[in-house]
C-alpha cells in the first residue's frame, strides 16, 4: 500500500517523495515493484521513458538504520501506512509531531481507526489538549484512505477528526486530486464509509462458510454471477489480507459495541493459523 502511494505521488502528482520503512527488505521490495510498474507503463505507452526516469528519480530511500522520521523533518506532508494497530500509529504520530515542521500535514492511511484518537496522540506530553499548542498540533492530522492497488483504484476517502482544521482538510484534498484521485468525505466513525459497509459483508460471507450454508466456491460464485461483483467476497478477503479484515472488524465491534460486528470465529482461527490470504500463500484459496 505504501509503495502505491509513493507511485501516484511521484508519477501523477510529480512530487518528490522520501520513502521510509524500518525494514530494508520491505523498502527494497517496494522500490523494485515501482521499477516494474514504471517499466510496464512505458511498454504500454502510458508514459514516456524519460518521464518514468524523472518519476523514479523523485523517490529517495531514507536509510533504514537512521531515525527515519527525523530525516523527513522538512517535508510538507507525511503519510503513515503502517499496520492497523492503534498503539503503533499513536507512537508514530507522536514522533511525527515532535520531529516534523509544525505546518506539515500528518496523514494516516488507516482504513478504520479513529482519526480523532490518532490526532490526540500528537499533543506533546505535559501539554493540554485544549491549549493553543495542543489544538494546533492535532489540527494538522487527517485521514487519507487510499485503496489497493493504489495506482489502479481511483478513490481516496478523506476523513476529518474532531480537531482537523479546514485548511488541513483542503490541503489533503488538493494532494489527493493531484495524485489523480476522486475524493469522498466521511465522518470519523468506525470503518468510515468504505469499511463500515464492506467488512460486515465480508464477515457475513465468512460466517456463511463457517456455518456450512454454502461452499467457498458457491458463496463467491453467487456474488459474482448473481450480483455482478468482479470477485467473490472470500477472494476479496484473501486479497485484502485476513489479518487486516480481522483488525478492521474488531475496530468496528469495539468502537460500536454492536454485536452485529462480531468477527467470525473462522476468521479469527485462520489468522491464528497464519493463513492470511494471498500475501501468505494461503487463505480461503491457495496462491
Amino acid at each position: 500500500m505504501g509503495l502505491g502511494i509513493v507511485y501516484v505521488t511521484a508519477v501523477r502528482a510529480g512530487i518528490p517523495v522520501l520513502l521510509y520503512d524500518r525494514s530494508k527488505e520491505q523498502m527494497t521490495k517496494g522500490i523494485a515493484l515501482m521499477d516494474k510498474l514504471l517499466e510496464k507503463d512505458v511498454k504500454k505507452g502510458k508514459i514516456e521513458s524519460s518521464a518514468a526516469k524523472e518519476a523514479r528519480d523523485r523517490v529517495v530511500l531514507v536509510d533504514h538504520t537512521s531515525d527515519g522520521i527525523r530525516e523527513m523533518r522538512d517535508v510538507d506532508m507525511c503519510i503513515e501506512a503502517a499496520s492497523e494497530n492503534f498503539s503503533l500509529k499513536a507512537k508514530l504520530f507522536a514522533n511525527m509531531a515532535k520531529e516534523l515542521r509544525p505546518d506539515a500535514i500528518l496523514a494516516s492511511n488507516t482504513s478504520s481507526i479513529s482519526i480523532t484518537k490518532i490526532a490526540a496522540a500528537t499533543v506533546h506530553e505535559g501539554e493540554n489538549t485544549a491549549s493553543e499548542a495542543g489544538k494546533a498540533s492535532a489540527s494538522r492530522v487527517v485521514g487519507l484512505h487510499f485503496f489497493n492497488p493504489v495506482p489502479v483504484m481511483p478513490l481516496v476517502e478523506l476523513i476529518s477528526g474532531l480537531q482537523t482544521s479546514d485548511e488541513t482538510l483542503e490541503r489533503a484534498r488538493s494532494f489527493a486530486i493531484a495524485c489523480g484521485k476522486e475524493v469522498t468525505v466521511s465522518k470519523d466513525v468506525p470503518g468510515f464509509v468504505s469499511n463500515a459497509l464492506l467488512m460486515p459483508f465480508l464477515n457475513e460471507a465468512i460466517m456463511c462458510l463457517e456455518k456450512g450454508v454454502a461452499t467457498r466456491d458457491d458463496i463467491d460464485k453467487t456474488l459474482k454471477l448473481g450480483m455482478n461483483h468482479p470477485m467473490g467476497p472470500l477472494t476479496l478477503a484473501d486479497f485484502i489480507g485476513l489479518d487486516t479484515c480481522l483488525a478492521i472488524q474488531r475496530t468496528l465491534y469495539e468502537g460500536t459495541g454492536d454485536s452485529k460486528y462480531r468477527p467470525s470465529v473462522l476468521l479469527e482461527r485462520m489468522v491464528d493459523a497464519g493463513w492470511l490470504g494471498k500475501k501468505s500463500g494461503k487463505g480461503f484459496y491457495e496462491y
Side-chain angles (χ1 to χ4, degrees):
M1 179 70 82
L3 189 278
I5 298 171
V6 169
Y7 183 89
V8 296
T9 302
V11 176
R12 295 179 189 160
I15 298 172
V17 188
L18 296 178
L19 173 62
Y20 173 71
D21 193 291
R22 288 181 301 176
S23 165
K24 182 180 180 181
E25 180 185 0
Q26 286 299 319
M27 287 201 295
T28 302
K29 282 172 63 178
I31 210 66
L33 176 59
M34 181 170 182
D35 289 339
K36 186 177 179 181
L37 291 173
L38 286 170
E39 183 182 354
K40 185 185 292 185
D41 283 350
V42 169
K43 285 181 178 177
K44 289 183 176 180
K46 291 183 177 180
I47 187 173
E48 296 291 332
S49 57
S50 58
K53 183 181 184 306
E54 287 173 7
R56 176 63 180 81
D57 289 344
R58 291 187 189 108
V59 181
V60 175
L61 302 185
V62 176
D63 186 351
H64 76 287
T65 62
S66 68
D67 183 345
I69 291 178
R70 185 171 294 172
E71 295 295 317
M72 296 186 285
R73 57 185 172 273
D74 293 325
V75 300
D76 297 304
M77 174 186 286
C78 187
I79 303 175
E80 164 273 316
S83 304
E84 286 293 278
N85 178 302
F86 172 70
S87 296
L88 172 60
K89 290 182 187 291
K91 184 178 179 181
L92 283 170
F93 273 79
N95 200 10
M96 286 156 62
K98 178 183 175 184
E99 300 293 348
L100 303 187
R101 278 178 11 206
D103 62 335
I105 290 177
L106 310 181
S108 177
N109 185 52
T110 181
S111 52
S112 64
I113 297 172
S114 167
I115 298 301
T116 299
K117 197 172 178 183
I118 291 173
T122 67
V123 179
H124 301 317
E125 191 174 346
E127 233 169 45
N128 192 310
T129 55
S131 68
E132 288 305 312
K135 288 189 287 186
S137 185
S139 72
R140 56 194 178 126
V141 177
V142 68
L144 268 176
H145 178 206
F146 288 81
F147 292 79
N148 215 12
V150 179
V152 176
M153 300 299 281
L155 184 69
V156 164
E157 195 172 29
L158 187 63
I159 304 98
S160 173
L162 286 179
Q163 312 95 317
T164 307
S165 70
D166 291 342
E167 180 189 357
T168 296
L169 204 62
E170 288 312 307
R171 286 174 63 194
R173 182 196 296 273
S174 296
F175 168 76
I177 292 171
C179 290
K181 303 300 182 183
E182 295 286 336
V183 178
T184 60
V185 180
S186 172
K187 287 186 176 180
D188 186 19
V189 297
F192 317 132
V193 171
S194 55
N195 281 319
L197 296 175
L198 176 62
M199 286 303 156
F201 163 62
L202 299 184
N203 196 51
E204 282 296 327
I206 298 167
M207 284 183 169
C208 280
L209 181 64
E210 180 184 317
K211 294 172 183 176
V213 173
T215 65
R216 173 199 70 182
D217 291 350
D218 280 352
I219 290 169
D220 274 1
K221 185 185 288 187
T222 297
L223 273 296
K224 286 173 67 180
L225 303 185
M227 310 299 176
N228 203 28
H229 288 197
M231 67 175 70
L234 301 178
T235 302
L236 179 55
D238 270 358
F239 274 69
I240 292 170
L242 301 188
D243 53 338
T244 300
C245 290
L246 179 58
I248 296 170
Q249 196 64 33
R250 282 174 172 165
T251 296
L252 292 171
Y253 185 39
E254 293 164 7
T256 63
D258 194 328
S259 61
K260 73 180 181 181
Y261 294 121
R262 178 185 63 80
S264 159
V265 173
L266 176 59
L267 176 60
E268 292 181 325
R269 292 297 169 267
M270 291 182 74
V271 172
D272 288 344
W275 296 351
L276 308 181
K278 190 174 185 294
K279 63 186 173 185
S280 70
K282 180 173 176 59
F284 294 107
Y285 296 84
E286 294 190 3
Y287 301 89

mmCIF file of all heavy atoms in Angstrom, residues 119 122-124 127-139 163:
data_model
loop_
_atom_site.group_PDB
_atom_site.id
_atom_site.type_symbol
_atom_site.label_atom_id
_atom_site.label_comp_id
_atom_site.label_asym_id
_atom_site.label_seq_id
_atom_site.Cartn_x
_atom_site.Cartn_y
_atom_site.Cartn_z
ATOM 1 N N ALA A 119 -5.104 11.825 16.280
ATOM 2 C CA ALA A 119 -4.718 13.233 16.411
ATOM 3 C C ALA A 119 -4.377 13.574 17.861
ATOM 4 O O ALA A 119 -3.448 14.354 18.129
ATOM 5 C CB ALA A 119 -5.842 14.129 15.899
ATOM 6 N N THR A 122 -0.810 13.293 19.079
ATOM 7 C CA THR A 122 0.219 14.249 18.645
ATOM 8 C C THR A 122 0.446 15.374 19.649
ATOM 9 O O THR A 122 1.386 16.148 19.505
ATOM 10 C CB THR A 122 -0.159 14.893 17.289
ATOM 11 O OG1 THR A 122 -1.320 15.719 17.463
ATOM 12 C CG2 THR A 122 -0.427 13.830 16.235
ATOM 13 N N VAL A 123 -0.424 15.469 20.644
ATOM 14 C CA VAL A 123 -0.265 16.513 21.661
ATOM 15 C C VAL A 123 0.882 16.103 22.582
ATOM 16 O O VAL A 123 0.866 15.014 23.168
ATOM 17 C CB VAL A 123 -1.565 16.715 22.465
ATOM 18 C CG1 VAL A 123 -1.368 17.786 23.533
ATOM 19 C CG2 VAL A 123 -2.706 17.099 21.526
ATOM 20 N N HIS A 124 1.877 16.960 22.698
ATOM 21 C CA HIS A 124 3.078 16.611 23.457
ATOM 22 C C HIS A 124 2.767 16.337 24.924
ATOM 23 O O HIS A 124 1.854 16.937 25.511
ATOM 24 C CB HIS A 124 4.114 17.736 23.358
ATOM 25 C CG HIS A 124 4.531 18.036 21.953
ATOM 26 N ND1 HIS A 124 4.800 17.059 21.021
ATOM 27 C CD2 HIS A 124 4.727 19.224 21.306
ATOM 28 C CE1 HIS A 124 5.144 17.615 19.872
ATOM 29 N NE2 HIS A 124 5.097 18.930 20.015
ATOM 30 N N GLU A 127 1.296 18.649 27.804
ATOM 31 C CA GLU A 127 0.550 19.731 27.177
ATOM 32 C C GLU A 127 -0.943 19.439 27.287
ATOM 33 O O GLU A 127 -1.373 18.296 27.201
ATOM 34 C CB GLU A 127 0.931 19.833 25.695
ATOM 35 C CG GLU A 127 1.356 21.216 25.264
ATOM 36 C CD GLU A 127 1.976 21.182 23.871
ATOM 37 O OE1 GLU A 127 1.415 20.536 22.982
ATOM 38 O OE2 GLU A 127 3.047 21.786 23.703
ATOM 39 N N ASN A 128 -1.739 20.469 27.418
ATOM 40 C CA ASN A 128 -3.187 20.309 27.486
ATOM 41 C C ASN A 128 -3.743 20.199 26.066
ATOM 42 O O ASN A 128 -3.376 20.981 25.191
ATOM 43 C CB ASN A 128 -3.790 21.522 28.211
ATOM 44 C CG ASN A 128 -5.237 21.300 28.566
ATOM 45 O OD1 ASN A 128 -6.035 20.907 27.723
ATOM 46 N ND2 ASN A 128 -5.587 21.560 29.813
ATOM 47 N N THR A 129 -4.656 19.248 25.861
ATOM 48 C CA THR A 129 -5.225 19.077 24.522
ATOM 49 C C THR A 129 -6.037 20.295 24.091
ATOM 50 O O THR A 129 -6.237 20.512 22.890
ATOM 51 C CB THR A 129 -6.139 17.837 24.471
ATOM 52 O OG1 THR A 129 -7.136 17.951 25.500
ATOM 53 C CG2 THR A 129 -5.345 16.560 24.668
ATOM 54 N N ALA A 130 -6.494 21.090 25.064
ATOM 55 C CA ALA A 130 -7.291 22.282 24.748
ATOM 56 C C ALA A 130 -6.446 23.545 24.650
ATOM 57 O O ALA A 130 -6.970 24.625 24.341
ATOM 58 C CB ALA A 130 -8.384 22.470 25.795
ATOM 59 N N SER A 131 -5.138 23.418 24.919
ATOM 60 C CA SER A 131 -4.263 24.588 24.810
ATOM 61 C C SER A 131 -4.069 24.944 23.342
ATOM 62 O O SER A 131 -4.342 24.134 22.443
ATOM 63 C CB SER A 131 -2.907 24.297 25.451
ATOM 64 O OG SER A 131 -2.190 23.330 24.687
ATOM 65 N N GLU A 132 -3.586 26.133 23.067
ATOM 66 C CA GLU A 132 -3.368 26.551 21.682
ATOM 67 C C GLU A 132 -2.361 25.636 20.987
ATOM 68 O O GLU A 132 -2.546 25.257 19.837
ATOM 69 C CB GLU A 132 -2.881 28.011 21.644
ATOM 70 C CG GLU A 132 -3.966 29.021 21.984
ATOM 71 C CD GLU A 132 -5.202 28.874 21.114
ATOM 72 O OE1 GLU A 132 -5.053 28.782 19.876
ATOM 73 O OE2 GLU A 132 -6.313 28.823 21.668
ATOM 74 N N ALA A 133 -1.296 25.272 21.717
ATOM 75 C CA ALA A 133 -0.279 24.386 21.137
ATOM 76 C C ALA A 133 -0.859 22.994 20.877
ATOM 77 O O ALA A 133 -0.590 22.377 19.839
ATOM 78 C CB ALA A 133 0.928 24.295 22.056
ATOM 79 N N GLY A 134 -1.655 22.510 21.824
ATOM 80 C CA GLY A 134 -2.275 21.195 21.677
ATOM 81 C C GLY A 134 -3.236 21.146 20.502
ATOM 82 O O GLY A 134 -3.228 20.205 19.704
ATOM 83 N N LYS A 135 -4.058 22.180 20.387
ATOM 84 C CA LYS A 135 -5.027 22.241 19.283
ATOM 85 C C LYS A 135 -4.315 22.375 17.938
ATOM 86 O O LYS A 135 -4.724 21.767 16.949
ATOM 87 C CB LYS A 135 -5.993 23.402 19.492
ATOM 88 C CG LYS A 135 -7.001 23.158 20.618
ATOM 89 C CD LYS A 135 -8.089 24.216 20.658
ATOM 90 C CE LYS A 135 -7.569 25.543 21.175
ATOM 91 N NZ LYS A 135 -8.655 26.528 21.361
ATOM 92 N N ALA A 136 -3.244 23.160 17.892
ATOM 93 C CA ALA A 136 -2.508 23.361 16.646
ATOM 94 C C ALA A 136 -1.873 22.057 16.169
ATOM 95 O O ALA A 136 -1.881 21.741 14.975
ATOM 96 C CB ALA A 136 -1.436 24.425 16.832
ATOM 97 N N SER A 137 -1.327 21.292 17.119
ATOM 98 C CA SER A 137 -0.687 20.028 16.764
ATOM 99 C C SER A 137 -1.703 19.037 16.197
ATOM 100 O O SER A 137 -1.488 18.426 15.143
ATOM 101 C CB SER A 137 0.012 19.428 17.987
ATOM 102 O OG SER A 137 0.727 18.264 17.634
ATOM 103 N N ALA A 138 -2.819 18.892 16.887
ATOM 104 C CA ALA A 138 -3.833 17.916 16.462
ATOM 105 C C ALA A 138 -4.569 18.354 15.201
ATOM 106 O O ALA A 138 -5.073 17.511 14.451
ATOM 107 C CB ALA A 138 -4.827 17.688 17.600
ATOM 108 N N SER A 139 -4.617 19.664 14.944
ATOM 109 C CA SER A 139 -5.399 20.179 13.807
ATOM 110 C C SER A 139 -4.817 19.788 12.459
ATOM 111 O O SER A 139 -5.492 19.868 11.438
ATOM 112 C CB SER A 139 -5.490 21.709 13.886
ATOM 113 O OG SER A 139 -4.242 22.311 13.575
ATOM 114 N N GLN A 163 -10.541 17.421 15.589
ATOM 115 C CA GLN A 163 -9.562 18.514 15.699
ATOM 116 C C GLN A 163 -9.067 19.020 14.347
ATOM 117 O O GLN A 163 -8.421 20.066 14.272
ATOM 118 C CB GLN A 163 -8.339 18.041 16.506
ATOM 119 C CG GLN A 163 -8.651 17.323 17.813
ATOM 120 C CD GLN A 163 -8.661 15.810 17.624
ATOM 121 O OE1 GLN A 163 -9.195 15.303 16.644
ATOM 122 N NE2 GLN A 163 -8.067 15.099 18.564
#
